[in-house]
Amino acid sequence: MQSQLIDASNPDDPKEISFEKGAVLDILEKTGRWWLARYTNADGTVLHGEVPSNYLEIIEFDDGETIVYDPYDFAEDVPRLFRVRALYDYKSQAPEELNISRDQIVPVIATHEDGWWEGLTTEGGRQRKGLFPSNFVERVK
């Protein structure tokens, strides 16, 4: 799958790649708000790294299939970094986000510098992963 950039990016994080508006990237993996991409810059250097999905516009699928986010697709033994308690209710705004309720305990499996953390909740009797705003929670000891 390929995407075209709708805005330029100059990241501070070494895991991210820098690119110009209009550049075309090969998307290697779509996970939440940050996607893994490959980009060949003007001097022919091939870069691999993360890019913010909201900077991209999908322009083509190589295999003709649509990639669908599956919040139930994760390893059962994914490490839990720590637990948090929700200070407020949060209603998801996108498929990759979690609904959380005030006082709910959420195991955190990843943190991101943009303030969105990835956690696990139970939905319909199944464990589900997703993003939530870190400023809506506090760490639990």
Side-chain angles (χ1 to χ4, degrees), residues 14-125:
K15 295 183 299 186
E16 300 172 31
I17 57 176
S18 179
F19 46 77
E20 298 293 323
K21 183 177 180 177
V24 176
L25 284 73
D26 292 313
I27 304 303
L28 306 174
E29 181 181 323
K30 290 173 63 174
T31 304
R33 296 177 186 269
W34 289 88
W35 295 356
L36 183 62
R38 178 178 50 230
Y39 170 58
T40 305
N41 66 16
D43 69 5
T45 303
V46 177
L47 306 170
H48 289 85
E50 296 177 345
V51 295
S53 61
N54 61 327
Y55 279 49
L56 304 173
E57 176 182 44
I58 295 173
I59 57 174
E60 159 187 327
F61 290 93
D62 293 336
D63 56 8
E65 293 184 30
T66 301
I67 295 176
V68 177
Y69 177 77
D70 183 357
Y72 304 101
D73 183 22
F74 63 93
E76 290 295 320
D77 61 349
V78 64
R80 278 67 166 171
L81 304 176
F82 51 89
R83 296 180 323 143
V84 296
R85 177 186 324 309
L87 299 170
Y88 317 100
D89 291 342
Y90 178 75
K91 175 85 169 132
S92 68
Q93 305 296 309
E96 68 270 12
E97 295 177 4
L98 293 176
N99 289 315
I100 57 174
S101 302
R102 183 179 175 170
D103 292 326
Q104 181 177 358
I105 302 297
V106 179
V108 176
I109 60 173
T111 61
H112 304 282
E113 290 181 13
D114 65 358
W116 287 84
W117 290 354
E118 192 168 3
L120 301 172
T121 61
T122 302
E123 182 179 278

